[in-house]
């Protein structure tokens, strides 16, 4: 594509380069992002100029304006090549958030190119979305089985009554196991992959290296499945589009791994947290057996993606009280939008028995999570939450909820740990699995032990 022209803006409303910006990622934001969003809205209105690691961006705060940005693809583009500062070489060469945006995959495409890749994904995911298909039935059974086995191993490690970290001992390994199963990985994925996805999303100092490592792993998986196809998402993506190169498929798998492990994992943890901290409406829906509604209410209170992927203005346009120039970057904030939604008269939704599907946990507009992926994600989250509470007679936070440690990056606000005190329900099986050596003979770990659960004694090539 040709880089769009960026004319000199006319006199009028303030522009991003004419305003001072304040850093968003501060100690204040880390401690209480909601208070920061409120202050920014009070100072600037629905759109605020902020700095992300030294780069100025527009942060969109109000629910209606966030929806406008998400839904209007002709004005708000996802292709990073529309970003004026990048096109003009004005970004720091080592700006840590750029690494993820340079990975050209479905999320960062527009129009027909974007729609074509979504159709491929929809076709490949179809068998897993369909509960009546062998692939769909097997995946659903596997998620439930993995959840039960993880609780059993947690009990073996920590006792029938004790303390646990539901992040490290339940949610993170569960999502890695599901990814291993769904992607058709020949060996179980390790925690280091999750750490690399975190480093990329959070913009750590080694985000570029972490992104390269993850891409390399998924490119190798693509080559492996091309040579040895199976009943897995990787192979089905190749069936849906045989022209995909290993590198292209690796980039798509990379994107799906981010969503499956980090975003879906955050949705599980955030749902558990809202129940455990005593969110009345979330607990009420769980008690009524409305697991889908429980997840929706938790996502409204605490969305898994706090600040959504950048959009780039295709042409000059007013938004809020400002002129957004062609090529400006805007960041729609789901967390701020939800806060706004509950403050401007929609608070009846929180206490209502009607579904709270106005949340942006799955996005909105042309780039929202595809239906097949959304339904699969909801299946994983509801199963993970439901199975956990099935196995515990009591479960409570081991720390006050306002003292829990968070990852507060530019994109995700996710729990680092979720420490709990628990008592197992009567009849819960305790599995005493012996740890086995991981691939390469280096170290022992939970995922290595779980290979027996996933693969038995058989080693897949």
């Amino acid at each position: 594509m040709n880089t769009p022209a960026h004319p000199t803006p006319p006199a009028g409303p303030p522009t991003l380069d004419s305003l001072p910006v304040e850093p968003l990622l501060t100690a204040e934001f880390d401690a209480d992002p909601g208070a920061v969003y409120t202050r920014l809205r009070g100072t600037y209105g629905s759109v605020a100029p902020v700095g992300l690691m030294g780069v100025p961006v527009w942060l969109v705060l109000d629910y209606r304006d966030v929806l406008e940005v998400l839904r209007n693809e002709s004005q708000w583009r996802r292709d990073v090549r529309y970003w004026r500062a990048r096109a003009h070489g004005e970004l720091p060469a080592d700006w840590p958030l750029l690494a993820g945006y340079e990975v050209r995959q479905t999320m960062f495409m527009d129009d027909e190119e974007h729609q074509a890749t979504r159709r491929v994904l929809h076709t490949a995911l179809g068998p897993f979305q369909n509960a009546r298909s062998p692939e769909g039935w097997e995946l659903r059974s596997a998620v439930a089985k993995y959840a039960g086995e993880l609780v059993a191993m947690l009990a073996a490690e920590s006792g029938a009554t004790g303390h646990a970290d539901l992040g490290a001992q339940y949610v993170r390994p569960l999502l890695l196991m599901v990814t291993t199963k769904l992607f058709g990985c020949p060996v179980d994925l390790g925690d280091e992959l999750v750490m690399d996805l975190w480093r990329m999303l959070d913009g750590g100092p080694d985000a570029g290296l972490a992104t390269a490592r993850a891409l390399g792993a998924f490119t190798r998986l693509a080559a492996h499945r091309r040579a040895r196809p199976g009943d897995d998402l990787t192979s089905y993506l190749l069936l849906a589009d045989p022209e995909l190169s290993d590198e292209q498929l690796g980039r798509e798998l990379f994107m799906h791994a981010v969503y499956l492990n980090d975003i879906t994992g955050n949705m599980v943890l955030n749902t558990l947290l809202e129940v455990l901290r005593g969110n009345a409406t979330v607990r009420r829906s769980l008690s009524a057996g409305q697991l889908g509604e429980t997840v929706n209410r938790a996502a409204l209170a605490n969305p898994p993606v706090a600040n959504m992927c950048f959009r780039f203005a295709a042409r000059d346009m007013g938004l809020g009280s400002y002129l957004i120039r062609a090529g400006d970057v805007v960041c729609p904030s789901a967390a701020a939008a939800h806060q706004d939604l509950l403050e401007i008269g929609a608070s009846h939704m929180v206490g209502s028995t009607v579904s709270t599907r106005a949340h942006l946990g799955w996005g909105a507009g042309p780039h929202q999570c595809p239906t097949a992926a959304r339904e699969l994600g909801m299946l994983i989250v509801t199963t993970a939450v439901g199975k956990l509470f099935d196995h515990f007679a009591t479960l409570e936070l081991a720390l006050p909820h306002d003292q829990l440690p968070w990852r507060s990056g530019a994109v995700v606000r996710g729990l680092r740990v979720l420490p709990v005190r628990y008592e197992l329900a009567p009849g819960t099986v305790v599995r005493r699995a012996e740890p086995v050596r991981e691939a390469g003979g280096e170290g022992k770990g939970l995922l290595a032990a779980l290979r027996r659960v996933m693969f038995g004694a058989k080693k897949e090539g």
Side-chain angles (χ1 to χ4, degrees):
M1 60 168 272
N2 294 324
T3 302
H6 304 289
T8 302
T15 59
L16 187 58
D17 54 7
S18 71
L19 293 167
V21 299
E22 59 176 282
L24 180 66
L25 305 180
T26 62
E28 179 191 8
F29 183 82
D30 188 55
D32 188 356
V36 174
Y37 296 136
T38 298
R39 179 173 55 76
L40 289 172
R41 189 180 290 113
T43 302
Y44 299 102
S46 65
V47 183
V50 301
L52 281 181
M53 302 176 183
V55 173
V57 306
W58 293 110
L59 187 67
V60 188
L61 302 165
D62 285 8
Y63 186 80
R64 293 185 184 91
D65 283 342
V66 166
L67 280 183
E68 153 64 23
V69 171
L70 297 180
R71 289 174 172 171
N72 188 348
E73 185 182 30
S74 66
Q75 168 62 26
W76 307 106
R77 312 297 277 174
R78 288 291 290 267
D79 193 324
V80 72
R81 291 174 293 183
Y82 278 87
W83 192 354
R84 186 179 65 254
R86 175 183 176 275
H88 291 177
E90 297 169 357
L91 295 177
D94 58 349
W95 193 61
L97 290 179
L98 187 58
Y101 283 93
E102 295 285 8
V103 180
R104 186 154 185 78
Q105 37 82 3
T106 304
M107 286 178 58
F108 304 142
M109 299 174 183
D110 294 309
D111 303 325
E112 177 53 32
E113 183 184 24
H114 170 238
Q115 290 301 318
T117 57
R118 282 176 72 97
R119 287 192 292 270
V120 170
L121 174 61
H122 183 80
T123 299
L125 276 175
F128 303 98
Q129 178 195 8
N130 183 356
R132 296 183 179 87
S133 72
E135 297 90 345
W137 181 89
E138 186 178 354
L139 183 64
R140 283 157 173 76
S141 298
V143 175
K145 176 184 177 182
Y146 298 160
E149 293 287 352
L150 282 165
V151 172
M153 289 184 178
L154 182 154
E157 183 176 341
S158 303
T161 302
H163 291 75
D165 172 12
L166 294 183
Q169 292 177 267
Y170 183 70
V171 175
R172 196 164 70 225
L174 175 62
L175 271 297
L176 278 169
M177 294 168 76
V178 173
T179 304
T180 297
K181 172 74 173 176
L182 181 62
F183 285 21
C185 299
V187 297
D188 46 299
L189 301 170
D191 266 5
E192 192 60 28
L193 174 66
V194 175
M195 296 300 104
D196 276 342
L197 299 180
W198 284 16
R199 293 174 185 117
M200 185 274 294
L201 283 170
D202 295 350
D206 55 351
L209 292 174
T211 302
R213 283 193 298 265
L215 281 171
F218 290 120
T219 301
R220 290 191 295 274
L221 173 59
H224 175 83
R225 279 299 165 214
R226 188 185 301 277
R228 302 187 64 176
D231 294 326
D232 51 73
L233 179 61
T234 308
S235 301
Y236 289 3
L237 284 166
L238 284 167
L239 280 174
D241 185 0
E243 299 302 316
L244 282 171
S245 69
D246 292 344
E247 290 74 19
Q248 289 172 315
L249 181 52
R251 292 195 292 269
E252 295 302 321
L253 293 173
F254 169 85
M255 175 195 70
H256 301 324
V258 169
Y259 267 83
L260 190 55
N261 285 273
D262 204 20
I263 310 306
T264 306
N266 280 339
M267 192 171 278
V268 175
L269 283 170
N270 291 356
T271 303
L272 294 174
L273 175 60
E274 291 303 312
V275 174
L276 296 177
R277 80 178 185 89
N279 184 316
T281 59
V282 174
R283 298 189 74 149
R284 192 180 308 128
S285 61
L286 180 66
S287 298
Q290 299 173 323
L291 279 172
E293 183 65 8
T294 302
V295 174
N296 284 338
R297 291 177 184 277
L300 184 63
N302 192 4
V305 179
N307 298 312
M308 306 171 83
C309 287
F310 294 162
R311 266 68 170 178
F312 309 99
R315 51 193 168 274
D316 291 359
M317 181 179 178
L319 190 68
S321 302
Y322 305 98
L323 174 66
I324 313 299
R325 291 187 58 201
D328 276 0
V329 58
V330 299
C331 178
S333 174
H338 287 186
Q339 182 185 60
D340 177 52
L341 181 66
L342 300 180
E343 290 176 354
I344 62 175
S347 57
H348 67 280
M349 296 175 60
V350 178
S352 170
T353 59
V354 178
S355 173
T356 52
R357 293 182 182 176
H359 74 77
L360 301 172
W362 305 111
H367 280 272
Q368 68 182 316
C369 192
T371 301
R374 185 166 63 246
E375 292 185 5
L376 185 59
M378 183 62 86
L379 161 77
I380 294 168
V381 176
T382 54
T383 301
V385 172
K387 289 295 180 182
L388 186 73
F389 285 109
D390 284 347
H391 288 294
F392 289 98
T394 60
L395 196 63
E396 60 185 16
L397 290 174
L399 285 175
H401 71 86
D402 58 355
Q403 294 182 22
L404 293 171
W406 292 85
R407 293 165 51 215
S408 293
V411 179
V412 170
R413 178 172 167 81
L415 286 167
R416 293 186 180 276
V417 297
L418 183 56
V420 296
R421 291 183 293 270
Y422 69 86
E423 180 182 351
L424 288 177
T428 297
V429 174
V430 176
R431 174 182 292 276
R432 297 191 178 278
E434 292 296 326
V436 297
R437 303 293 291 183
E438 294 185 357
E442 296 178 359
K444 299 179 180 180
L446 177 60
L447 286 174
L450 289 173
R451 283 186 57 78
R452 292 181 178 176
V453 176
M454 300 184 66
F455 302 126
K458 181 181 74 171
K459 290 185 179 180
E460 184 187 359

